Amino acid sequence: MTVGGALAGGGLRAAARIRAEADARGISRLPVLDGEGPLAVRRIRSAGPEARVALVGAMSAPLGGDRLTVAAEAGPGARLDVTSTAATIALPGQTKEPAHYDVRLSVEEDAELRWLPEQLISAHGSALQVTTRAEVAPGARLLLREEQVLGRTGEPPGNLTSRLTVRCAGRLLLDQELACGPAAPSGWDGPAALAGHRALGQLVVVRPELAEAPARPQLLGELAALTPLAGPGLLVTAVAPDALRLRRALDEAVRVVG
Amino acid sequence: MSRATLLVLADGRFPAGGHAHSGGAEAAVAAGRIKDAADLAEFCRGRLHTSGLVAAALAAAAALGVDPLLLDEAADARTPSAALRTAARKLGRQMMRAARATWPSAELDALAAVRPKGAHQPVVLGLAARSAGLGPEDAAYVAAYEAVSGPASAVVRLLSLDPFDATGVLARLAPELDRVAADAGAAARRVPDEGVDALPASSAPLLDIGAEAHAAWAVRLFAS
């Protein structure tokens, strides 16, 4: 395995690419499964027709200045589940430059992608910009979970910005940006935004039937809410005191949305 | 621009229905997250830099002449809470009535015709500013100021907070309001080249969660 390349600023560049395609019997195969450096990808045994992949953190990343890209595609009619084996921890690097972590998800016609990685932890002193873009074709289905944990236990968080964009049949369904940490605009931890909670998460569901029959808004406890989006999708937003309670809330949300 | 026209549009007494909304403050007070003037200031700060910035940028882009339907779609995607989309369209409809009566224009008529139930309020506000001869930064200022003045006056009623304290909170936010309005105007000016993705999409999780909780209440003082 070779690392994609060292960058002048001191970080590294690495990419992982996953593509699932359905074979003639409807079983999803993985014609593309490439990782490098800190981004290793592993096929996991699947009991059903779906292909399953785990992202494995093969070295400490992202550090300041790193540029990481993960692209996952489910080809027409394919089913792809992606998880990760451990939380991703953003750490300070040798450079003051922020790290960039770009996730590109593509769900082609009648395909289904379940993107359920472990938490992203923003360690003290780190700076990370996460961009997640999902393109969902007509008839395709997406389940996407993102969890951000601000600081390891008992430490103040680093700087974390995250932008999540979901396009469905070319139309913008969700565009959401979060900024946390000492460099974020003031008020990020106040009563309008996080109010001292150290874990936050989103669950996005895109399904064609939600266009005709939108989900009903629903509270899931005091700190999580399910809301229909303006199109064939729904969003669960949750905050929690810690990662464990956040996961409980989002697991409950996954049960509710079925 | 006419500074006097800006005052007319920004006046809290402009009959566009804003006084019926607390900007999420009622839910935050009920949850115990706003208990005094210091909490109000932090709440307003958080709202200003998230939904306030987004609203200001949408308003500025509309004032600049960007297609209001594109902006309305961008506003939908940036407003994941269904309760807040409903509130924004209700307010947009009221703003449209007031604006068409005050500064009639073919552009306002055209948007009202295709969005009879209301476009998102910041988009209508921006178009109203345009019809009044105001510029993008003016529209951004009005939207940004509304993002904090609404919660401030609501909290005066909800907590019986001293109105002098609430106004003091707004006065101390002035430098940040200036920055947000400038950033919103700059983002709007990138839209003709880069499309609506150039607009900010900042969000505040508890505003979204609180809005859904608030919408489910049987009795409430404010509409949102």
Side-chain angles (χ1 to χ4, degrees):
Chain A
M1 194 191 304
T2 56
V3 175
L7 297 170
L12 64 84
R13 184 186 294 276
R17 194 167 159 237
I18 306 159
R19 181 172 173 88
E21 285 179 5
D23 70 11
R25 292 181 301 148
I27 309 290
S28 292
R29 307 291 178 193
L30 292 165
V32 179
L33 188 63
D34 295 328
E36 58 182 352
L39 297 172
V41 285
R42 297 283 179 270
R43 182 192 312 262
I44 314 177
R45 214 180 144 78
S46 172
E50 72 277 9
R52 298 180 63 205
V53 172
L55 298 167
V56 181
M59 54 193 265
S60 193
L63 308 180
D66 288 355
R67 292 182 170 267
L68 309 182
T69 309
V70 178
E73 302 167 359
R79 289 180 60 184
L80 173 62
D81 286 12
V82 182
T83 57
S84 59
T85 54
T88 299
I89 307 178
L91 292 163
Q94 291 173 317
T95 150
K96 290 274 172 226
E97 289 295 299
H100 295 261
Y101 198 136
D102 291 345
V103 175
R104 301 280 171 269
L105 307 178
S106 169
V107 201
E108 297 173 21
E109 280 192 25
D110 302 319
E112 177 168 3
L113 172 62
R114 292 163 61 90
W115 179 262
L116 299 166
E118 292 299 307
Q119 300 89 354
L120 173 67
I121 301 173
S122 170
H124 179 56
S126 69
L128 175 63
Q129 298 179 0
V130 182
T131 314
T132 305
R133 278 190 223 154
E135 301 268 352
V136 184
R141 301 158 79 82
L142 171 69
L143 175 68
L144 178 156
R145 181 183 67 207
E146 278 195 351
E147 294 169 311
Q148 293 95 13
V149 179
L150 306 180
R152 291 166 296 194
T153 306
E155 75 175 2
N159 288 312
L160 176 65
T161 67
S162 172
R163 188 159 187 168
L164 170 61
T165 313
V166 181
R167 281 194 157 71
C168 195
R171 192 170 166 270
L172 191 61
L173 180 65
L174 175 66
D175 193 346
Q176 198 175 43
E177 208 175 353
L178 279 161
C180 311
S186 54
W188 67 271
D189 199 22
L194 289 176
H197 294 93
R198 280 294 166 264
L200 62 145
Q202 299 83 32
L203 187 77
V204 182
V205 178
V206 179
R207 288 177 191 160
E209 59 268 29
L210 289 172
E212 304 304 319
R216 279 167 31 125
Q218 198 177 336
L219 282 178
L220 307 166
E222 276 180 36
L223 296 172
L226 182 162
T227 180
L229 296 172
L234 65 84
L235 174 73
V236 177
T237 302
V239 301
D242 56 49
L244 187 66
R245 277 176 275 191
L246 176 68
R247 178 59 61 84
R248 273 194 212 132
L250 292 180
D251 282 349
E252 170 63 15
V254 170
R255 272 194 294 280
V256 167
V257 301
Chain B
M1 72 114 182
S2 152
R3 193 170 285 175
T5 304
L6 179 60
L7 287 174
V8 174
L9 179 61
D11 192 335
R13 285 157 291 191
F14 189 76
H19 62 277
H21 294 257
S22 78
E26 186 169 28
V29 166
R33 291 194 286 267
I34 302 178
K35 294 186 288 292
D36 54 27
D39 294 341
L40 171 65
E42 276 302 282
F43 180 90
C44 287
R45 249 188 209 102
R47 189 162 195 259
L48 173 64
H49 290 290
T50 55
S51 57
L53 172 65
V54 172
L58 287 165
L64 200 60
V66 176
D67 179 356
L69 291 181
L70 275 181
L71 294 173
D72 200 45
E73 195 177 303
D76 260 350
R78 286 162 174 75
T79 317
S81 158
L84 292 181
R85 286 198 301 278
T86 302
R89 290 193 181 282
K90 212 174 268 177
L91 281 167
R93 191 176 173 189
Q94 287 169 286
M95 171 59 73
M96 179 62 87
R97 282 186 63 185
R100 287 172 87 188
T102 315
W103 299 288
S105 80
E107 287 178 329
L108 283 171
D109 292 347
L111 180 59
V114 288
R115 287 284 178 276
K117 290 180 181 169
H120 278 261
Q121 193 267 0
V123 179
V124 183
L125 169 65
L127 206 56
R130 182 174 167 85
S131 300
L134 295 168
E137 279 72 19
D138 300 324
Y141 262 104
V142 178
Y145 183 65
E146 279 181 355
V148 293
S149 64
S153 61
V155 169
V156 168
R157 289 170 65 186
L158 291 162
L159 285 181
S160 304
L161 190 71
D162 186 334
F164 292 134
D165 290 342
T167 301
V169 164
L170 294 178
R172 283 186 291 278
L173 281 171
E176 285 176 70
L177 281 159
D178 288 336
R179 272 204 301 281
V180 165
D183 290 350
R189 290 181 191 283
R190 289 200 297 273
V191 172
D193 288 332
E194 298 172 29
V196 293
D197 286 357
L199 296 173
S202 318
S203 62
L206 284 171
L207 284 182
D208 289 339
I209 296 166
E212 295 302 326
H214 186 263
W217 294 3
V219 180
R220 50 186 186 251
L221 198 54
F222 291 91
S224 74

